[in-house]
Amino acid sequence: MKTIIAACSQNLSGSRASIQTALRTLLAVPWPSKRDVSSALQLLAVLQWVLSFLLLGIVSLLLLIYLLFTSLWLIPVLYVAWIIFDWDTPEKGGRRLPCLRRWTVWKHFRDYFPVKLVKTHDLSPSHNYIIGSHPHGILCVGAFCNFITGSTGFDELFPGIHSFLTTLAGNFRLPFFREYLMSGGLFPVTRRAIGYLLSQKGTGNAVAIVIGGAAESLSCRPGVTTLILKNRKGFVRMALRHGAFLVPSFSFGENDLFRQVVFEEGSWMRSIQRRFQKMMGFAPCLFYGRGLTSCRSRGFLPYARPITTVVGEPVAVPKVENPSRELVDRYHELYIHALLKLFNENKTKYGLSESDELHIL
């Protein structure tokens, strides 16, 4: 009996010593610094955003189809019925949740790049505005961060102005994804939706439109400042119909976030991209960024490059119910002139050289 007790005591002593050794080893390991924790949070914030915009809509649609063939078939049936009933909501003001604009996650998202908003002129709350956002880039990071999240201080820089951002109308046909977009304050880039924001919500509204769209994303690559704008005049016509002032904005650094395989005009791959764009509304770009574990590996996350969005001087626009083509052309030229002025006055401040030019196609 004494032998058994002695053996047990020896084992307990050994176990206690092992635990103490393990604790000493654990305590000797350096704890993550505040900077490491901050970097990890920034990476996670960007990861959730990229996954949401690239996968949430498709995954939700596939899940809904899968549930139709299970015992939970009633859930997708009821949700589809709800979508049919709620079909016009995205074009009638949506369902914006102001609390999402103040999420702490967006501050980590902002700091990852980082993203900065620069004001050059005041915007009076007594007017409505259409903000032209350039360039499109791959995922419109600058436009999203500045005009949707509020993390860069839009509300403080432009008091009394409520910003909105438009995106492809097809996104609002995807289950659950449409709810996600509306809750954040995004709207379909349609005449009806933009007209509602500019006519049914009083004054002090600024609707941001990424004018270059999918066509512009096909030529997006570092060092290239080419915009698709010469024949994009619908936003000017909308501005004239509602008397909304036109405001140019340019996000310096937007095209540096990803690397894209750019196919030459006339090649069969570029032809496929163009056809897909016309059918689906967006262009299938072959791009890559950094990986999840290392900035030197390849993946689908954007590179951490600074983005500075400069909001320019508003172009005063009269309210004309049925503007003529000549009037639209005139204000389109005034807008391009204001955009070129904005670009040339700020390019050397935010990473470009004096010789860089803005090409408008």
Side-chain angles (χ1 to χ4, degrees):
M1 187 65 178
K2 291 180 180 179
T3 303
I4 295 174
I5 293 174
C8 289
S9 299
Q10 188 175 4
N11 288 338
L12 288 173
S13 299
S15 299
R16 192 178 297 113
S18 299
I19 293 173
Q20 290 174 346
T21 301
L23 287 173
R24 290 194 193 97
T25 304
L26 182 62
L27 292 173
V29 175
W31 288 87
S33 65
K34 186 177 181 180
R35 182 177 179 180
D36 293 335
V37 173
S38 179
S39 297
L41 291 174
Q42 292 169 15
L43 192 64
L44 289 175
V46 173
L47 176 64
Q48 66 83 25
W49 181 79
V50 171
L51 291 178
S52 296
F53 272 85
L54 294 183
L55 297 178
L56 181 58
I58 299 299
V59 171
S60 298
L61 179 61
L62 294 176
L63 177 62
L64 211 65
I65 295 174
Y66 168 75
L67 290 177
L68 279 172
F69 300 95
T70 68
S71 58
L72 301 174
W73 60 270
L74 188 59
I75 294 177
V77 169
L78 290 175
Y79 184 72
V80 170
W82 160 252
I83 289 181
I84 295 173
F85 173 78
D86 195 53
W87 191 260
D88 292 333
T89 298
E91 294 185 321
K92 291 184 176 181
R95 279 190 297 272
R96 187 175 191 170
L97 297 179
C99 60
L100 295 186
R101 188 178 177 87
R102 299 187 297 270
W103 266 8
T104 303
V105 68
W106 301 130
K107 294 182 180 179
H108 297 304
F109 179 87
R110 172 201 65 196
D111 294 339
Y112 170 85
F113 298 96
V115 182
K116 181 181 178 182
L117 180 64
V118 176
K119 166 186 172 181
T120 61
H121 292 79
D122 290 329
L123 298 182
S124 171
S126 61
H127 298 289
N128 284 326
Y129 303 89
I130 289 181
I131 300 178
S133 180
H134 311 275
H136 182 283
I138 296 294
L139 294 179
C140 305
V141 172
F144 177 86
C145 192
N146 288 298
F147 303 128
I148 288 297
T149 71
S151 61
T152 54
F154 185 94
D155 296 337
E156 290 74 28
L157 288 173
F158 302 100
I161 303 297
H162 308 286
S163 61
F164 306 92
L165 179 63
T166 57
T167 185
L168 289 174
N171 290 329
F172 294 87
R173 306 311 178 210
L174 295 172
F176 302 113
F177 191 46
R178 69 191 296 273
E179 321 299 339
Y180 175 79
L181 295 177
M182 281 193 290
S183 65
L186 283 98
F187 295 84
V189 61
T190 62
R191 293 180 182 177
R192 187 181 180 189
I194 297 171
Y196 184 94
L197 294 172
L198 296 176
S199 63
Q200 302 297 318
K201 286 183 170 290
T203 59
N205 303 299
V207 182
I209 304 175
V210 187
I211 298 170
E216 195 171 277
S217 66
L218 292 177
S219 59
C220 165
R221 60 184 184 272
V224 175
T225 49
T226 300
L227 304 182
I228 305 298
L229 179 58
K230 188 173 293 185
N231 295 317
R232 299 291 174 97
K233 301 179 181 179
F235 73 102
V236 178
R237 189 176 298 276
M238 287 294 298
L240 284 164
R241 285 178 176 172
H242 297 280
F245 288 14
L246 291 168
V247 183
S249 73
F250 196 93
S251 293
F252 295 91
E254 182 74 46
N255 285 348
D256 298 331
L257 304 183
F258 293 96
R259 303 291 182 269
Q260 181 181 185
V261 180
V262 179
F263 300 100
E264 297 297 327
E265 290 291 346
S267 65
W268 65 275
M269 279 299 298
R270 178 54 71 99
S271 177
I272 291 176
Q273 287 178 316
R274 294 291 189 193
R275 291 180 182 178
F276 194 93
Q277 173 197 332
K278 290 180 180 179
M279 290 188 297
M280 304 299 295
F282 66 94
C285 302
L286 297 180
F287 66 90
Y288 66 88
R290 60 157 290 179
L292 183 60
T293 58
S294 170
C295 60
R296 288 181 292 273
S297 61
R298 290 189 179 184
F300 55 87
L301 295 179
Y303 292 107
R305 303 286 187 268
I307 303 172
T308 304
T309 300
V310 185
V311 179
E313 181 179 3
V315 177
V317 175
K319 186 174 182 179
V320 181
E321 189 67 29
N322 294 302
S324 64
R325 179 180 297 180
E326 292 75 16
L327 191 62
V328 171
D329 290 342
R330 176 188 171 191
Y331 280 94
H332 186 259
E333 290 178 5
L334 289 174
Y335 175 82
I336 291 179
H337 176 76
L339 177 61
L340 289 170
K341 179 183 176 183
L342 173 71
F343 177 81
N344 290 323
E345 288 181 350
N346 293 276
K347 61 184 179 181
T348 56
K349 299 178 185 177
Y350 305 114
L352 298 180
S353 66
E354 188 65 41
S355 60
D356 285 322
E357 296 181 354
L358 185 61
H359 302 283
I360 297 178
L361 303 179

